[in-house]
Amino acid sequence: MTDTAQGVRGALRRELGGFLRAHRELLAPADVGLPRTPRRRTSGLRREEVAALSGVSVAWYTWLEQGRVDTSRQVLDAVARALRMDGAAREHALALAGFAPEGPGGPNGLGGPDASDALATPHAVAVNHQHLLDSWPTSPALLLGPALDLLAWNTAYATLWPDPAAVPADRRNLLLLLTGDPHHQRLLPAWQPLAMDLYRHFRTRADRAPLSARFGQLTARLRAERPDLEEWWDCRSVGEFAPRTMELAFSDGQLARYGVTLLLTPEPRGGAVLVQTPAH
């Protein structure tokens, strides 16, 4: 194994440990059928309780949370059940441990040990997808990078939303725009549910690319620009973006509803196409 691969493996173990610890701290003893004792100082489960529920030793589970050991799929499944993980969280834990289905770019196509920080050639990828975006003349559409950076858009998008071409290049990121741009928030008053689900989608990819500078830079910028959303940035919840309907409010008082779908692109460590379809 190369030094780079060893570094990625170690970083993924630490991400897995932090993910397990976050889930353990969210559970109350009553959630798993245990009594709350008077001497308990925290609301979360103790490590020894998770170890007992999972059928492993306390020392081994402690090492797992510390990112010091690898694990088998069978044992990780037992830990996930003990921590009452839902399907998305369980799949994420398995991916961090290296058990996700292998795609062309690593687990779930999100990149192997030698993956770079971004799409290999963002400009070329944008050009390749522009004809697809333009094929939707009435459906605003965006091509997004792995960290939800805006790589390309169609005329319908630039007409409905603030034109990305007029946005400074370093701010062309969907999370930055939804959480920090007044124009986006006026057009979409209920922006929080959409932004939070996109952040969960982002977290899924960030955890699986722990050495990526772009994910780290964006997380730091979100924390700096919106410290009031600290509970978002500290959240370890993950999940794939689910289609939904959103309502836009125009300056003339008119309202419009759009269905929103996120289509994953096939490139290794690729991003996604966000399509907004007028809803009647």
Side-chain angles (χ1 to χ4, degrees):
M1 183 180 291
T2 66
D3 290 344
T4 300
Q6 288 178 337
V8 171
R9 183 65 252 153
L12 286 171
R13 280 199 301 265
R14 291 189 293 275
E15 289 293 339
L16 174 61
F19 190 66
L20 297 178
R21 183 169 60 255
H23 276 269
R24 174 172 62 81
E25 292 172 350
L26 288 174
L27 282 176
D31 295 333
V32 296
L34 296 174
R36 181 180 177 88
T37 62
R39 305 177 78 178
R40 185 181 294 270
R41 289 176 292 180
T42 61
S43 58
L45 295 182
R46 299 186 177 109
R47 283 174 173 165
E48 55 265 32
E49 292 168 338
V50 177
L53 291 168
S54 306
V56 299
S57 72
V58 177
W60 187 89
Y61 180 76
T62 300
W63 295 337
L64 183 62
E65 276 199 6
Q66 292 172 345
R68 296 168 56 189
V69 294
D70 288 316
T71 181
S72 70
R73 187 183 190 116
Q74 181 180 10
V75 169
L76 190 54
D77 274 334
V79 171
R81 287 193 297 272
L83 293 174
R84 302 298 191 266
M85 289 187 182
D86 61 19
R90 174 184 170 278
E91 291 302 317
H92 188 59
L94 289 171
L96 293 177
F99 297 117
E102 291 290 331
N108 285 341
L110 297 177
D114 297 317
S116 61
D117 278 336
L119 291 168
T121 53
H123 176 71
V125 172
V127 170
N128 290 341
H129 285 80
Q130 191 66 57
H131 71 284
L132 173 65
L133 304 182
D134 292 339
S135 70
W136 293 310
T138 62
S139 296
L142 282 172
L143 175 65
L144 301 169
L148 302 182
D149 295 309
L150 279 61
L151 302 182
W153 50 90
N154 61 7
T155 301
Y157 185 90
T159 302
L160 181 66
W161 294 87
D163 187 352
V167 176
D170 69 329
R171 291 202 61 81
R172 289 180 197 161
N173 178 276
L174 196 53
L175 283 173
L176 285 176
L177 293 173
L178 286 174
T179 61
D181 180 60
H183 300 291
H184 282 73
Q185 294 179 1
R186 279 197 295 269
L187 185 58
L188 180 62
W191 58 269
Q192 293 95 333
L194 178 66
M196 186 58 187
D197 274 7
L198 285 170
Y199 184 65
R200 293 174 74 241
H201 175 92
F202 167 86
R203 285 276 330 149
T204 303
R205 281 135 187 84
D207 277 1
R208 300 179 196 181
L211 300 186
S212 167
R214 178 55 186 154
F215 287 121
Q217 291 164 358
L218 182 60
T219 300
R221 188 163 185 175
L222 288 167
R223 287 182 180 276
E225 294 192 6
R226 290 301 304 266
D228 56 310
L229 297 178
E230 187 67 23
E231 70 276 10
W232 285 30
W233 318 138
D234 285 342
C235 181
R236 296 302 298 256
S237 178
V238 295
E240 297 300 329
F241 184 86
R244 85 271 318 287
T245 300
M246 65 180 180
E247 187 171 79
L248 304 185
F250 300 105
S251 57
D252 61 2
Q254 296 294 312
L255 301 176
R257 291 167 63 83
Y258 283 81
V260 186
T261 305
L262 198 66
L263 308 172
L264 301 184
T265 58
E267 293 82 17
R269 286 198 72 234
V273 174
L274 186 78
V275 186
Q276 301 164 46
T277 307
H280 301 290

